[in-house]
Amino acid sequence: MTDMSGFLPPPGTWSVSSKLGAWEFDVTSRGLAGSRWSDSRDVRRMPPCGMRNLLASYFANGRAPLSAIPLDLPPGGEFSRKVQLALARIPPGRVITYGRLAASLGRPGASKAVGSACRANPAGLVLPCHRVVAAGGPGGYSGGDWVWLKLELLAHEGVVQDPDGRFPADVLLEALPRGRASR
């Protein structure tokens, strides 16, 4: 096991501010157990640590590799776990459609299952489900009325829709990049 002293904050729920509002991070001694956007004013600011520095870098430039944050996620279904691990391979500033992600995972035609796995993602932002889009536009986000947040995160990373609501070909991945995320 890698020594995370100095990188992770103490176990608990911590907040980091961004221009989009506060993000809450549930941290265990082994890694990130969950994250979410929050409009709450009742926050515990994350103490200085490597994770906070990495998040601050991401919020400053949209390019920091959040896949460096170790995970300690609750158990889930086999396909959901495959989707979550695949999310970490989508680089900042790029998007992939639900259908192309499904095909990259060997399940062509399983775009709805990919959407369900993204909706159930316990670590949004760090496992960037906002980078998975519908073939004709943004698709949903977090199982609710959060599409505005998805579009803001993508814009922060330099991805904007064209006037027809589609994503330009130069940011749209045909398939997942090769390799594995460090999970």
Side-chain angles (χ1 to χ4, degrees):
M1 180 175 195
T2 304
D3 179 17
M4 288 288 111
S5 60
F7 185 81
L8 293 173
T13 298
W14 301 99
S15 177
V16 174
S17 295
S18 78
K19 70 179 184 173
L20 297 175
W23 288 85
E24 292 181 350
F25 300 91
D26 301 323
V27 181
T28 71
S29 61
R30 293 178 303 280
L32 180 72
S35 63
R36 67 206 150 274
W37 180 83
S38 172
D39 60 1
S40 173
R41 300 285 181 225
D42 182 30
V43 298
R44 286 179 60 202
R45 294 200 185 281
M46 188 178 289
C49 62
M51 182 174 162
R52 186 177 89 170
N53 295 342
L54 188 60
L55 290 163
S57 179
Y58 173 82
F59 289 130
N61 65 31
R63 298 291 178 175
L66 297 182
S67 61
I69 296 173
L71 299 175
D72 185 23
L73 300 177
E78 182 181 341
F79 186 69
S80 288
R81 180 61 67 171
K82 283 182 181 180
V83 171
Q84 290 168 359
L85 294 175
L87 295 173
R89 292 171 42 202
I90 307 168
R94 303 297 299 270
V95 296
I96 191 168
T97 65
Y98 296 101
R100 288 179 179 169
L101 180 53
S104 291
L105 296 174
R107 297 268 309 267
S111 57
K112 288 185 180 186
V114 167
S116 293
C118 287
R119 188 171 32 262
N121 178 9
L125 186 66
V126 174
L127 292 177
C129 50
H130 63 277
R131 297 180 191 147
V132 184
V133 299
Y141 190 61
S142 294
D145 190 24
W146 297 91
V147 175
W148 68 269
L149 183 58
K150 180 178 197 169
L151 293 173
E152 288 288 334
L153 287 168
L154 290 173
H156 176 65
E157 295 177 1
V159 176
V160 293
Q161 294 173 282
D162 66 22
D164 295 326
R166 295 181 182 272
F167 293 95
D170 65 330
V171 300
L172 191 59
L173 295 170
E174 293 292 323
L176 279 175
R178 292 196 181 274
R180 300 183 70 179
S182 56
R183 297 281 172 211

